[in-house]
Amino acid sequence: MHPIRKKRLTIVLFLVAGLAIAVGLTTYALRQNINLFYDPTEIAAGNAPVDVRIRAGGMVEAGSVVRDTETLKVEFKVTDFSASVPVEYVGILPDLFAEGQGVVAMGRLNNEGVFVADQVLAKHDENYMPPEVADALEKSSKAQNKAADVDKAAETTAY
Amino acid sequence: MYPELGQIALILALLLAVLLSVVPLAGALTGRDSLQAFARPLASGMFVFTGLAFAILTHAFIVDDFSVAYVANNSNSMLPWFYKFSAVWGGHEGSLLLWILMLTGWTLAVAVFSRKLPSTMVSQVLSVMGMVCVGFFLFIIVTSNPFDRLLPNVPTDGQDLNPLLQDIGLIIHPPMLYMGYVGFSVAFAFALAALINGRLDAAWARWSRPWTTVAWSFLTIGIALGSWWAYYELGWGGWWFWDPVENASLLPWLSGTALMHSLAVTEKRGVFKSWTVLLAIVTFALSLLGTFLVRSGVLTSVHAFASDPERGSFLLMLLGITVVGSLALYAFRAPVVHVRSRYGSLSREIFLLLNNVLLVTATLLVAIGTLYPLVLDYLDMGKLSIGEPFFNTTFSPLAIAAGLLLGTGIFSRWKKTDGGWLGRKLLWPLAVSLVASVAVIKMYGDFKPWAFAGVFTAMWVTVATLWDLWDKSSSRKGRLHGLKRQTRSYWGMVLGHLGVAMVMAGATVVSNYGIERDVRMVPGDSAMVGDYQIVFKEIGDRRGANFTAQYGSFDVLLDGKKVSELHPEKRNYPVGMSVMTEADIDAGLFRDIFVAIGERISDEAWAIRVQYKPLVRWLWLGSLIMAIGGFLAIADKRYRIKARNEAADKARAGNLVTGKPAEASS
C-alpha cells in the first residue's frame, strides 16, 4: 500500500477505535446510571419501579418532618398537592431544606411504598425551585386548579 | 443619570463593534490599507466604552443606587464594600457585562500585541473578534440590560447578594473563568482569519499558540477556583460534582487542551492543520455552549440565574450562527490534506494525535452526559438525570489512558522513533514508578485496583517528565548549565505535565482513601475520622456584619496531641432569610480535616460532618502549577525572535524579487 494511504488508514483506524471505545463505555455507563424522575402522584399510583434508583421531588409537606433525636434519621413527606410520598433519610440535610420548600431526592422505593433517599437536594435560594418540581406541581395543579398557588412557586429565579 | 450614560456607552460600543466587524475585513479583502488602519482604533474605542459601562455599573453598586433594578436585586446597603464590588458580577446581567468587558479586553490585547503580524491578518482577526462582540452586545442590550431602572418606586434597600456568593472565591472565580472562556475567541478568530485568507501554515499556528495557551491557563485557574469554592462553601467537602455547569467549563478545557497540543504539532511539523482549525472552532463553540447552558436557565444548578426563555433562544441563535457559519467557512476553505512532511507510525506526531483522540473522546462523553437529559426533556421524552457514576466510569479510564500515553510520548521523537530504543528507554522509569506507586498505596491502606491505576499513572507522568528533564539537561558544563539552557516553553511543558500528575494523584487518593462521616454529637463528645480525633467542645452565638451565627468549637487531636482548633458556623442572613453552613478546615499539604455543622437534632445534640481528605489540596495546587506552566510557555523568547526572523525573511524575499543580492539586507 502507498505509505500515505497507509498512514491515513492508521489515523482512521485510531479514530474508529477511539469512537468505538467511547460508544461502548457510554452505553455501558448510561445503562446503569440513568435516574428517571417521578412525581409524587406517579409514585403513589404505583407507576414508579421498586428498588431502582430514581429521583423524586416535590414540596416538603408542612408538619411532616419527624426527626429521630438519637440518630441522624429524618422522615418527611413530599407532596405535589394531589398525592404525597413518605421519605426516609439518614444524614445531614441541606441548609435550605424546610417544610414548604421544594426538594429533589435520589434513592429507592421500598416494598412498603417508602422512598429511602440516599441524597436530598434543596437548591441554594429560597425562590428557586428545581424545574422537575415546578413541572410536577404545575401538572397536579392543572388537575386540581390550584394555579394561583403554584404560579408563584413555579417562578424560578435568581441564583 | 449615570445608569443612562452606561446604557449609551454600551450602545456606542455596539456601533463600534459593527464597524470593527465590517471595515477592516473589507479593507483586507480589497487590499486597501486605509480601511485596515481602522482596526486598532476601533478595538480600543470598543474597550473604552465597555469599560465605561462597567465602571458606571460598579459605581451604582458602591453608592447603593437601588433605582437600578439589577443593583436592587443583587446588593444591600449592609453588604461590605468588597462584596458590593464583586456583586457586580453576582447576577446574570452584570456577569454578562463582565464577559463582554473581557471580550473587548482580549480584542484590545490582540490589537496591541500584534504589531509584528501582517496587517491583513490583524484586520481579519480583529474583524472576527468584532463580529463576536456584536453578538454579545446585542444580547446584553436587547435581553439583559443591567441598567434597567425601577422608577418611580425606588426600593429603600436591596434584596441582598446570595450569601453563598459572599466569599473571596466568588470575587475571583468568575473573572478567571471568563478570561478563559472568552480567550478562546482569539484562537477562534485566528482560525477563521486563516480560513478566510487561506494562509493556514506554521506561522499561523505560532501566532495563535500563545493566545490559546493563555486562555487555557486562565480557564484552568477558573475551574480550580470553582472547585475549591465548592469544596469549602457549598459542597460539604465535595470538590467536583459533575454538575452540568461544571461540565460546561470542563468541555472547552478538554478541547482546549487538545487544541494546545495539536497547535504544537502544526507549528513544529506543519501537519494536522485542518484538524487544528476545527478544534479551534469547536473549543470556542463549546465556550459559547457553556455560556448558553449556564445562562439560559435550562439547567438545575446553583448557577442558573433567572430563566428567561428569550435569553435562552437568543444565546442558542448566537451559538447556531457561530457554529454553522464557521463550519461552512471551514467546509469551503479548509485545505485538502496534502501531507508534505512525513512521519512514521511511531513518532511524536502519532502520540500527540492519540492524545487528541482521547481528549476529544472525553469531551464527547462529558457532552453526552450533560446534554442527553436536556435533549430528552426538550423532546418531552421523560425527565432523567445522569449522575456521577456515569462520568466516573467513563472519564477515569480515559484519564488513565491519556496519562500512560503522556509518559510514553515524552520520550518519543518527531518524525520517527525507534520502537526498540523507546522500549529500552521506558524500562527504568516504568520500574521506578511501579515501585513508588506500590509504596504510596501501601501507605494509604487497602489495595484498590482503580486507586492503584490512578496513582501509578500520576507517578508515571511525574517520573517520565523528570527523567526527560534529566536527560535533556545533561551538559559538559555541568547540570546547572544544562538546566538553564532549557527554553521557557520546555519548562512550561514540564510544569504543565507535573501539574496534571498532581491533579491525578489528588483526585485518586482523595476519592479512594478519603473518609466522610456524619455523626450525632453533643458538646463533650468526640468522633474518630481516620487517625484523627475530633472533640466537640461547645457551641455558642456570634454576630457578623450582616448575619448571626451559631459558632462551634472543635479540637482536632492526633495520637492524643492537639493539632488544631476548628470553628465551623451555621450562619443566618436575615435580609434574604437564608441559612448558610460555613465549614472550617484544617488545611495541610497532605491532608485536610473538615468539620461542618449540620442541623440541630435535639436541644443538646447536633448533626456534625467530619471528614479526612488526603491530598485534596493537590487538586488545586496541581491546577495552579499547570496554569503557571502555561504562562511560562508563552514567555518563551522564541515567539519574539521568530517574529523578527520572519521580518528579515520577508525583507530578503523582497530583495530577491527586486533582484538585489540577499546578503545586502542582512
Side-chain angles (χ1 to χ4, degrees), chain B residues 374-562:
Chain B
L374 296 176
V375 172
L376 276 196
D377 186 28
Y378 181 75
L379 299 174
D380 221 7
M381 285 165 68
K383 282 190 183 298
L384 54 85
S385 74
I386 294 177
E388 289 180 32
F390 166 79
F391 295 101
N392 289 340
T393 42
T394 53
F395 196 80
S396 316
L398 284 171
I400 287 170
L404 295 177
L405 193 69
L406 197 172
T408 317
I410 284 177
F411 295 111
S412 68
R413 305 262 167 90
W414 294 111
K415 292 185 198 172
K416 195 170 177 358
T417 312
D418 180 51
W421 175 84
L422 188 64
R424 283 191 298 279
K425 190 86 206 157
L426 294 178
L427 217 56
W428 275 109
L430 204 62
V432 172
S433 345
L434 210 60
V435 172
S437 348
V438 169
V440 169
I441 294 288
K442 263 220 137 53
M443 198 171 70
Y444 278 107
D446 311 341
F447 178 85
K448 300 177 189 173
W450 278 113
F452 179 75
V455 169
F456 173 75
T457 312
M459 203 62 89
W460 171 235
V461 172
T462 313
V463 171
T465 304
L466 294 178
W467 205 282
D468 184 55
L469 179 63
W470 186 259
D471 281 354
K472 285 216 167 71
S473 64
S474 72
S475 160
R476 252 174 294 157
K477 291 187 195 162
R479 183 67 54 189
L480 200 65
H481 177 79
L483 284 173
K484 272 187 192 154
R485 212 181 46 195
Q486 301 307 314
T487 60
R488 284 193 191 154
S489 59
Y490 179 74
W491 280 110
M493 184 189 88
V494 168
L495 287 187
H497 290 160
L498 290 180
V500 169
M502 276 185 88
V503 172
M504 275 189 167
T508 309
V509 170
V510 76
S511 335
N512 284 287
Y513 299 106
I515 302 167
E516 178 185 315
R517 290 186 65 198
D518 289 351
V519 282
R520 173 187 180 279
M521 289 178 102
V522 174
D525 278 358
S526 70
M528 291 298 288
V529 51
D531 295 334
Y532 292 84
Q533 189 188 9
I534 315 287
V535 182
F536 185 11
K537 288 203 306 200
E538 55 178 353
I539 188 158
D541 292 329
R542 183 175 94 88
R543 289 192 68 83
N546 51 350
F547 61 87
T548 57
Q550 270 133 354
Y551 183 75
S553 294
F554 294 79
D555 277 348
V556 180
L557 291 92
L558 180 62
D559 301 330
K561 263 183 263 157
K562 185 165 154 183

Side-chain angles (χ1 to χ4, degrees), chain B residues 123-134:
Chain B
S123 314
Q124 282 160 342
V125 169
L126 288 178
S127 275
V128 174
M129 298 286 291
M131 291 175 202
V132 178
C133 290
V134 169

Side-chain angles (χ1 to χ4, degrees), chain B residues 276-294:
Chain B
T276 306
V277 171
L278 190 61
L279 270 181
I281 294 173
V282 165
T283 303
F284 183 59
L286 287 174
S287 296
L288 288 183
L289 177 74
T291 323
F292 165 70
L293 288 179
V294 176

Side-chain angles (χ1 to χ4, degrees), chain B residues 177-395:
Chain B
L177 200 63
Y178 288 4
M179 279 297 273
Y181 269 161
V182 179
F184 283 129
S185 68
V186 181
F188 171 79
F190 268 101
L192 250 56
L195 282 178
I196 292 172
N197 64 20
R199 270 198 68 180
L200 215 56
D201 48 19
W204 156 73
R206 187 162 58 246
W207 294 327
S208 44
R209 248 184 112 177
W211 296 102
T212 311
T213 310
V214 171
W216 177 89
S217 300
F218 277 117
L219 187 60
T220 309
I221 295 179
I223 294 175
L225 279 172
S227 153
W228 175 61
W229 175 71
Y231 169 72
Y232 70 80
E233 190 71 18
L234 91 159
W236 290 93
W239 46 272
W240 192 262
F241 302 88
W242 294 108
D243 177 287
V245 172
E246 291 171 323
N247 295 348
S249 65
L250 187 64
L251 286 172
W253 188 86
L254 288 170
S255 70
T257 311
L259 174 62
M260 262 195 329
H261 289 91
S262 111
L263 269 173
V265 186
T266 307
E267 189 204 348
K268 297 266 183 190
R269 305 279 306 135
V271 288
F272 301 173
K273 289 176 202 162
S274 316
W275 173 244
T276 306
V277 171
L278 190 61
L279 270 181
I281 294 173
V282 165
T283 303
F284 183 59
L286 287 174
S287 296
L288 288 183
L289 177 74
T291 323
F292 165 70
L293 288 179
V294 176
R295 291 288 169 263
S296 62
V298 292
L299 292 177
T300 315
S301 140
V302 234
H303 295 71
F305 292 119
S307 58
D308 181 343
E310 192 193 352
R311 288 175 187 164
S313 39
F314 197 107
L315 271 176
L316 204 57
M317 203 174 67
L318 218 58
L319 178 64
I321 292 173
T322 314
V323 171
V324 173
S326 50
L327 287 186
L329 188 66
Y330 177 78
F332 285 114
R333 301 301 296 259
V336 188
V337 188
H338 45 87
V339 186
R340 265 182 294 149
S341 52
R342 298 271 176 89
Y343 51 91
S345 49
L346 193 68
S347 63
R348 184 164 274 203
E349 286 91 329
I350 290 294
F351 277 107
L352 285 168
L353 179 69
L354 279 174
N355 142 303
N356 266 245
V357 170
L358 288 174
L359 283 167
V360 169
T361 312
T363 314
L364 272 175
L365 279 172
V366 176
I368 290 171
T370 312
L371 298 178
Y372 184 59
L374 296 176
V375 172
L376 276 196
D377 186 28
Y378 181 75
L379 299 174
D380 221 7
M381 285 165 68
K383 282 190 183 298
L384 54 85
S385 74
I386 294 177
E388 289 180 32
F390 166 79
F391 295 101
N392 289 340
T393 42
T394 53
F395 196 80

